[in-house]
């Protein structure tokens, strides 16, 4: 094999981050185990129960139902499936336009009509627009707690009320935001609102190894609506989408949740929040149009030629649908890394002649 894994040094676009040392070690130890066959592999099955319990604490839910999925896509798909089981035959699901594209995959696979509500000017679900799309066939409403592009948090309690009035389930996609939001004032979780299901991914800000997503449900019966019989396994039923699953992902999630919840994640939130705020200030001082970071994602307008030049220098940066450069301030994105990035940005902006100020004043890094 002649390839090595690339370094994360210049990766500014990823919602994943190198796993915490305890997650890496647990992943290696449990590599050969299969939580999809819990009767044959009971120790990893116990770890999964622990992981789900702790994810419940993260999300404000005592006695949670759920499992460690392959990622946010599977968790969202399963949540749409739960809503469909709960609803009528020609069910629809209402999502804000900021929702992750995994909901499009889910709707396509499940034959559910997807209704997309415009967001407000700041990128949050617009309640009136959602209300207009909800009708008697609505089986589920989705709220995003930490949008992929701008880190925005939808008005979860109001959306939950709207869903409840329509007899629909409310799913919160906190795949990325779930490990930052417990340390903020946002109302987003099971304790704050009538939330039925939630996605919260250990393999993003939770610092588990990939694959480790999280699906939580308020009631066991919601998850049980997905049950299929597994006659030739020792355990007789399954609610997960895959059969064989990664023991590495499950064990790493359990280990890192044990290690970091809550104090380690609180410290992490403080660090990434400070970094995002600092970066936004630095960009603002240079004259860039910066989208105010609610959680730790910073997006700003940048000339296409500058964007391409930064990519050519090895910076792994992505753009929003509207073209802003978007930096996900995960734990590996330190001020030192961003200081180098800003130096390159200043240089490239000067080359192109965008008119932005370079490194103005003191105080960077
Ligand atoms: N929900 C939200 C809010 C997300 O942001 C994402 C992924 C998902 C669900 C789906 O999760 P999985 O990718 O685990 O199935 N958001 C990022 C994206 O698609 C994920 C990502 C991760 C992108 C690492 C790049 C990367 O290097 O943009």
């Amino acid at each position: 094999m002649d390839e090595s894994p690339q370094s994360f040094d210049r990766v500014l676009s990823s919602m994943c981050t190198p796993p915490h040392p305890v997650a890496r070690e647990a992943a290696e130890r449990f590599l050969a185990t299969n939580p999809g066959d819990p009767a044959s592999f009971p120790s990893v099955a116990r770890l999964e129960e622990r992981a789900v319990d702790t994810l419940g604490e993260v999300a404000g839910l005592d006695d949670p139902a759920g499992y460690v999925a392959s990622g946010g896509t599977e968790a969202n798909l399963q949540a749409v499936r739960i809503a469909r089981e709960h609803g009528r035959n020609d069910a629809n699901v209402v999502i804000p336009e900021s929702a992750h594209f995994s909901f499009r995959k889910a709707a396509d696979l499940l034959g559910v009509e997807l209704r997309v509500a415009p967001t407000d000017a700041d990128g949050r679900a617009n309640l009136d627009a959602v209300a207009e799309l909800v009708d008697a066939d609505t089986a589920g409403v989705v709220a995003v707690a930490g949008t992929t592009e701008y880190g925005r948090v939808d008005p979860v309690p109001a959306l939950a009320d709207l869903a409840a009035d329509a007899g629909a389930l409310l799913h919160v996609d906190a795949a990325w935001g779930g490990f930052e939001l417990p340390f903020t004032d946002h109302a987003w979780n099971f304790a704050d609102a009538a939330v039925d299901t939630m996605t919260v991914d250990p393999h993003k800000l939770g610092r588990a190894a990939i694959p480790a997503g999280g699906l939580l449900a308020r009631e066991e019966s919601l998850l049980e609506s997905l049950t299929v019989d597994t006659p030739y396994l020792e355990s007789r039923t399954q609610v997960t989408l895959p059969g064989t699953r990664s023991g590495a992902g499950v064990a790493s999630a359990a280990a890192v949740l044990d290690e970091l919840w809550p104090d380690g994640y609180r410290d992490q939130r403080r660090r990434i929040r400070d970094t995002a705020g600092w970066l936004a200030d630095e960009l603002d001082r240079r004259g860039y149009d910066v989208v105010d970071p609610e959680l730790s994602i910073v997006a700003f307008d940048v000339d296409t030629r500058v964007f391409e030049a930064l990519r050519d220098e090895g910076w792994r940066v992505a753009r929003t649908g509207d073209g802003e450069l978007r930096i996900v301030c995960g734990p590996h994105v330190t001020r030192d890394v961003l200081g180098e990035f800003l130096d390159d940005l200043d240089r490239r902006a000067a080359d192109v002649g965008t008119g932005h100020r370079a490194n103005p004043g003191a105080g960077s890094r």
Side-chain angles (χ1 to χ4, degrees), residues 72 79 90 95 110 175 202 252 279 292 303:
D90 29 1
I95 64 168
L110 297 169
S252 81
L279 174 62
D292 189 33
D303 187 292

Side-chain angles (χ1 to χ4, degrees), residues 11 13-16 70-74 76 100-103 144 146-148 173 175-176 199 201 203-204 326:
V11 177
S13 58
S14 177
M15 293 201 152
C16 301
S70 57
T73 300
E74 182 189 334
N76 284 341
H100 188 255
F101 51 75
S102 46
F103 290 102
V144 189
T147 60
T148 309
D173 183 357
W176 181 74
T199 295
D201 285 352
H203 75 197
K204 295 193 172 77
R326 171 176 155 272

Side-chain angles (χ1 to χ4, degrees), residues 78-358:
Q78 292 281 75
V80 173
R81 211 173 141 213
I82 290 171
R84 190 190 63 171
E85 293 304 308
H86 167 88
R88 307 180 189 195
N89 271 346
D90 29 1
N92 68 68
V93 168
V94 181
I95 64 168
E97 64 178 328
S98 53
H100 188 255
F101 51 75
S102 46
F103 290 102
R104 293 181 192 282
K105 300 181 186 177
D108 188 31
L109 281 164
L110 297 169
V112 165
E113 183 199 347
L114 205 58
R115 297 187 175 174
V116 183
T119 50
D120 65 20
D122 212 19
R124 287 182 202 85
N126 177 322
L127 285 175
D128 292 338
V130 173
E132 219 163 279
L133 294 177
V134 170
D135 64 16
D137 292 329
T138 301
V141 174
V142 171
V144 189
T147 60
T148 309
E149 290 194 300
Y150 300 109
R152 291 295 182 250
V153 183
D154 286 339
V156 175
L159 286 167
D161 289 347
L162 235 159
D165 287 348
L169 299 184
L170 193 276
H171 174 67
V172 173
D173 183 357
W176 181 74
F179 285 93
E180 247 196 287
L181 287 163
F183 313 108
T184 69
D185 293 335
H186 288 284
W188 66 286
N189 71 15
F190 287 93
D192 297 322
V195 175
D196 295 291
T197 55
M198 184 181 289
T199 295
V200 47
D201 285 352
H203 75 197
K204 295 193 172 77
L205 283 180
R207 303 196 58 193
I210 301 168
L215 173 67
L216 296 175
R218 187 184 285 277
E219 307 288 345
E220 194 68 49
S221 59
L222 291 170
L223 210 59
E224 278 168 4
S225 65
L226 304 181
T227 302
V228 297
D229 294 333
T230 55
Y232 46 83
L233 288 184
E234 268 189 89
S235 49
R236 306 311 293 232
T237 60
Q238 227 173 54
V239 297
T240 55
L241 190 61
T244 305
R245 293 189 291 133
S246 167
V250 168
S252 81
V256 72
L257 284 162
D258 252 11
E259 179 79 12
L260 296 182
W261 174 258
D263 295 343
Y265 291 125
R266 185 182 291 112
D267 290 347
Q268 170 175 288
R269 147 78 187 172
R270 199 175 301 129
R271 279 197 308 275
I272 63 179
R273 172 69 251 173
D274 285 353
T275 304
W278 171 82
L279 174 62
D281 287 348
E282 285 293 321
L283 291 165
D284 189 54
R285 296 192 318 139
R286 286 164 168 81
Y288 290 97
D289 208 357
V290 185
V291 183
D292 189 33
E294 187 161 26
L295 299 178
S296 303
I297 293 180
V298 178
F300 63 103
D301 266 330
V302 74
D303 187 292
T304 305
R305 290 163 296 175
V306 175
F307 179 83
E308 293 305 334
L310 289 167
R311 284 198 58 91
D312 289 347
E313 295 219 36
W315 292 103
R316 309 285 37 114
V317 282
R319 313 194 80 159
T320 64
D322 283 345
E324 293 113 340
L325 193 160
R326 171 176 155 272
I327 295 183
V328 183
C329 294
H332 64 278
V333 180
T334 60
R335 280 199 197 191
D336 282 347
V337 169
L338 289 172
E340 281 175 38
F341 171 78
L342 288 170
D343 289 345
D344 283 353
L345 174 69
D346 290 346
R347 190 162 349 100
R348 292 311 184 170
D351 289 349
V352 169
T354 60
H356 289 99
R357 294 181 292 280

